[in-house]
């Protein structure tokens, strides 16, 4: 029987966000051969797959023990992510560079809401880049991920309408250099979120206050800065003039 009973489908859709989970499993299967997915379901455009078909792909992934944690439902969208998406809905743009994409906490909801924006991702961890490129191969064709360091300025000036630096600047030793390069590569906006208070994450090497961010971005040539805050995070939108 090609499809599971509706009841099982419901439990699958309750556990996971089916579309991105199925996309990643398709991309992973194309690269590694696991899980074993019906060739027809591998080749069909992601957008035309029914919930039943998406569920059958996700169940195949569960059976072979694939790590589906990034796609679990119930990890309700973070308020800081929602605020950034809300800002992006209010502007016009066609290309976005996301620096330090990680597991896709921002990129997954972003690609759902902005399916026509071309997205480039940078991450320093091979496994994250592999994960994102498998997601792209499985159906999110607007996405390309690279293992590159922003401090090396991997793209020419004015390459992207928007550059997002979400929960990343606090990790970067040469934070001033990263800001200058982000501003250079952006045509319209740079969007930042950082923790707004000290925490015990040993990978956080800076606490970037409003004053510090203002100085960093002013030194990089940005004078139009808009700040807001949500749940222990500082969010800043810099307009490129």
């Amino acid at each position: 029987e090609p499809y599971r009973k509706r009841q099982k489908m419901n439990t699958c859709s309750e556990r996971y966000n089916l579309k991105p989970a199925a996309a990643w499993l398709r991309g992973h299967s194309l690269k590694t051969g696991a899980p074993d997915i019906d060739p027809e379901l591998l080749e069909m455009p992601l957008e035309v797959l029914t919930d039943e078909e998406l569920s059958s792909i996700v169940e195949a992934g569960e059976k072979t023990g694939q790590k589906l944690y990034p796609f679990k439902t119930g990890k309700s969208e973070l308020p800081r992510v929602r605020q950034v998406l809300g800002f992006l809905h209010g502007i016009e743009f066609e290309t976005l560079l996301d620096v330090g994409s990680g597991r896709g906490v921002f990129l997954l909801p972003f690609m759902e809401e902005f399916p026509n924006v071309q997205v480039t991702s940078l991450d320093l961890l091979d496994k994250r880049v592999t994960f994102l490129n498998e997601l792209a191969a499985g159906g999110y064709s607007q996405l390309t991920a690279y293992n590159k360091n922003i401090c090396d300025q991997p793209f020419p000036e004015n390459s992207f309408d928007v550059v997002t630096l979400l929960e990343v600047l606090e990790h970067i030793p040469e934070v001033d250099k990263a800001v200058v390069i982000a501003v250079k590569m952006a045509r319209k906006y740079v969007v930042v979120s950082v923790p707004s208070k000290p925490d015990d994450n040993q990978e956080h090497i800076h606490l970037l206050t409003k004053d510090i961010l203002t100085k960093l971005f002013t030194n990089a040539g940005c004078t139009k800065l808009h700040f807001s805050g949500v749940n222990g995070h500082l969010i800043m939108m810099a307009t490129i003039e």
Side-chain angles (χ1 to χ4, degrees), residues 3-166:
Y3 305 123
R4 313 287 287 190
K5 289 178 182 163
R6 185 161 297 278
Q7 185 182 6
K8 289 205 173 177
M9 187 192 90
N10 287 344
T11 58
C12 202
S13 63
E14 283 162 11
R15 286 199 304 277
Y16 301 107
N17 294 314
L18 293 178
K19 187 177 167 192
W24 175 71
L25 286 165
R26 294 199 320 169
H28 192 64
S29 178
L30 287 167
K31 186 175 180 185
T32 66
D36 187 16
I37 296 170
D38 181 326
E40 194 177 341
L41 295 182
L42 274 179
E43 291 163 16
M44 289 166 73
L46 186 64
E47 297 71 40
V48 305
L49 293 173
T50 66
D51 281 355
E52 285 180 315
E53 290 167 332
L54 293 171
S55 287
S56 71
I57 294 170
V58 174
E59 284 191 8
E62 277 193 308
K63 277 182 186 165
T64 53
Q66 305 297 332
K67 290 180 180 170
L68 294 169
Y69 172 78
F71 311 106
K72 279 195 170 174
T73 55
K75 298 195 310 170
S76 58
E77 200 172 280
L78 297 169
R80 61 178 170 80
V81 171
R82 188 68 256 157
Q83 194 162 120
V84 171
L85 291 172
F87 167 75
L88 294 173
H89 277 294
I91 64 171
E92 288 189 18
F93 66 109
E94 295 176 1
T95 55
L96 179 137
L97 172 67
D98 185 50
V99 180
S101 300
R103 289 197 190 95
V105 169
F106 164 72
L107 276 190
L108 288 171
F110 173 84
M111 291 191 296
E112 281 304 294
E113 295 185 30
F114 297 89
N116 298 317
V117 172
Q118 291 299 308
V119 187
T120 303
S121 162
L122 298 184
D123 205 279
L124 293 178
L125 291 179
D126 273 333
K127 64 180 179 179
R128 302 284 189 240
V129 176
T130 298
F131 166 77
L132 292 168
N133 280 324
E134 288 175 349
L135 197 64
Y140 286 91
S141 56
Q142 76 265 43
L143 171 65
T144 313
Y146 298 95
N147 183 333
K148 292 180 186 290
N149 187 332
I150 186 175
C151 290
D152 298 332
Q153 193 177 331
F155 302 102
E157 293 187 20
N158 303 313
S159 287
F160 306 95
D161 292 331
V162 178
V163 174
T164 47
L165 297 153
L166 307 178

Side-chain angles (χ1 to χ4, degrees), residues 165 169 179-180 182-183 190-192 212-223 225 236 238 240:
L165 297 153
L169 284 177
V179 167
V180 167
V183 169
V190 176
V191 183
V192 171
I212 292 171
L213 284 174
T214 298
K215 186 176 179 184
L216 286 168
F217 276 84
T218 304
N219 288 346
C222 284
T223 54
L225 307 177
M236 188 206 75
I240 308 298

